[in-house]
Amino acid sequence: MHGSLSRFVEQCNDVVASMSEAHDRVTAIAPLMHTLIADADEFLSDEHFRSDPDHYARNAIYICPKGDISLFSLVWLPGQWTPVHDHGSWGVVGVVRGMLEERSYMSVAGEIHGDSGIALKRGGVTLLNPSAISSFVPNPDHIHMTGVPTERQTCVSLHLYGRNMDSFHIYDVAAGTRRLIKVPHYESDG
């Protein structure tokens, strides 16, 4: 593992071990992510830039064996979007290349209990340029869709999650429902 990536993982593990609150963790890790994305060209390899013509691509960079954190490079071709989803975790995102767009949703009733009867309304939009950092915490869940409009260039972003991000809830806004899905990713050699 490259030195800057190894330091980042070690520092993130230290933060997780020393801080129990999600908001404290993302506050401590956001500047670490900013430093990491400045070194991205030094540790990202070709496998971290894999794309998929059918949907955005998730390329594993590091998944903690204990499941405490996971780091992915996401590659967004023009016109690729996530569904409306949450994470069930805290996280920190940094943009390496391109511009990532995030469209937020909010629960009309506040906290969500169950998988039906969920009324969501649109919130604001955030545009993340190279070196921009964003973070989120659960409870209330960060519900949004993220992607790149067709008129923009390919985007590459780094996503650190406070768990092995192998699943999340996707929302059917019109039906007022959500369901948990498995989220695939490409493996990396390390």
Side-chain angles (χ1 to χ4, degrees):
M1 189 181 306
H2 187 273
S4 59
L5 180 58
S6 179
R7 275 188 304 282
F8 176 77
V9 168
E10 182 179 328
Q11 291 170 325
C12 289
N13 283 324
D14 289 346
V15 167
V16 169
S18 66
M19 298 177 183
S20 60
E21 296 293 330
H23 63 270
D24 291 330
R25 289 176 175 177
V26 299
T27 299
I29 292 174
L32 303 176
M33 176 66 81
H34 193 263
T35 299
L36 182 69
I37 60 174
D39 293 337
D41 287 337
E42 294 178 23
F43 71 85
L44 290 176
S45 64
D46 290 345
E47 64 188 356
H48 300 130
F49 291 100
R50 286 177 289 210
S51 63
D52 188 308
D54 298 324
H55 52 79
Y56 71 99
R58 297 175 71 241
N59 301 296
I61 297 173
Y62 175 79
I63 299 175
C64 178
K66 297 187 304 183
D68 293 341
I69 61 171
S70 57
L71 178 66
F72 297 88
S73 66
L74 274 60
V75 179
W76 313 82
L77 298 178
Q80 294 182 336
W81 291 87
T82 65
V84 176
H85 69 285
D86 64 28
H87 303 97
S89 174
W90 58 267
V92 179
V93 175
V95 176
V96 176
R97 297 182 186 159
M99 179 187 292
L100 190 60
E101 184 169 321
E102 178 183 311
R103 298 176 183 173
S104 297
Y105 287 79
M106 298 171 285
S107 171
V108 173
E111 200 169 319
I112 297 174
H113 301 282
D115 295 332
S116 61
I118 302 167
L120 297 178
K121 65 180 180 176
R122 273 293 307 274
V125 63
T126 302
L127 302 176
L128 301 169
N129 287 310
S131 79
I133 306 296
S134 177
S135 67
F136 51 87
V137 297
N139 302 321
D141 283 326
H142 180 65
I143 302 169
H144 66 156
M145 64 184 289
T146 304
V148 176
T150 55
E151 66 275 9
R152 294 207 189 114
Q153 296 178 356
T154 297
C155 178
V156 178
S157 51
L158 299 183
H159 297 243
L160 177 80
Y161 302 102
R163 68 180 181 92
N164 179 1
M165 185 53 69
D166 60 356
S167 64
F168 56 57
H169 287 107
I170 61 169
Y171 292 76
D172 183 326
V173 176
T177 59
R178 72 177 183 178
R179 63 187 172 91
L180 189 66
I181 65 164
K182 288 289 188 187
V183 185
H185 65 266
Y186 293 112
E187 292 293 331
S188 298
D189 291 333

